[in-house]
Amino acid sequence: MNAVYPLIAVVAAYLLGSLSFAVIVSRVMGLSDPRSYGSKNPGATNVLRSGSKAAAIVTLLLDAAKGWLPVFLVRTVGQNFGLGEGTVALVGLAAFAGHLWPVFFGFKGGKGVATALGVLLGISGWLALATVVTFVIIVAFFRWVSFASLIAAAFAPFFYVLTGGVLWEMDPGIALAIALMAGLLAWRHSANIGRLIKGTEPKLGARKKP
């Protein structure tokens, strides 16, 4: 296999992931920079604190799309260039890393929940659905988005491995990529974990305006 093609795919995925849509959408819609209020996190949840549900939804969809698209393209047309499941794992990680450390925004990005979900969707719609259902159940009971995100992320690699051979063919490289994303996502939520322990983490619906 020509090593140039996987490299191009990984770099392109990282650059796509580096598009911080929370900032871009907020600018286009005339809202304050999400890095200047609330949690200062450039993500859909913090954009929601601006009071604009439309901006939050658009941000969520675009952040998910940038995780899904590279995986989808490698899966659908990558075979023509000799790209396999190993490249799927790498481009998924690259898009996720781009969101966390975006080259276009001073390497200061978000926490990666929506982008990770997009990667899972590209890997398997069933895997994404199981993860979303887990998230919805947890957030419905506790109303902590960060807590639900952590639990859903922790379950994702187990869903992938335990259901391998039933709904999809389990690939060790992809399993490792999902586990790494879950670990990085937990690390990026370290401040939230601290607030959850202290009982000061804001619940869904609490708005912090600029």
Side-chain angles (χ1 to χ4, degrees), residues 20 22-24 26-27 30-38 40-42 46-47 105 210:
S20 185
V23 179
I24 295 171
S26 293
R27 288 178 182 174
L31 303 173
S32 298
D33 190 321
R35 297 169 296 181
S36 67
Y37 61 85
K40 296 181 171 56
N41 175 61
N46 201 41
V47 171
F105 294 86

Side-chain angles (χ1 to χ4, degrees), residues 25-115:
V25 170
S26 293
R27 288 178 182 174
V28 170
M29 298 184 70
L31 303 173
S32 298
D33 190 321
R35 297 169 296 181
S36 67
Y37 61 85
S39 65
K40 296 181 171 56
N41 175 61
T45 301
N46 201 41
V47 171
L48 182 61
R49 294 189 177 107
S50 72
S52 175
K53 292 182 180 179
I57 291 172
V58 173
T59 299
L60 177 67
L61 293 176
L62 290 176
D63 277 348
K66 71 184 184 183
W68 166 80
L69 184 59
V71 175
F72 172 76
L73 289 176
V74 171
R75 275 273 173 87
T76 54
V77 301
Q79 293 180 352
N80 298 330
F81 301 93
L83 305 181
E85 295 297 88
T87 307
V88 168
L90 289 175
V91 297
L93 270 177
F96 182 74
H99 182 81
L100 268 57
W101 299 287
V103 66
F104 305 124
F105 294 86
F107 300 99
K108 296 179 181 179
K111 296 174 182 177
V113 176
T115 304

Side-chain angles (χ1 to χ4, degrees), residues 3-24:
V4 174
Y5 293 133
L7 179 61
I8 291 173
V10 169
V11 172
Y14 170 75
L15 293 176
L16 179 60
S18 290
L19 296 174
S20 185
F21 285 113
V23 179
I24 295 171

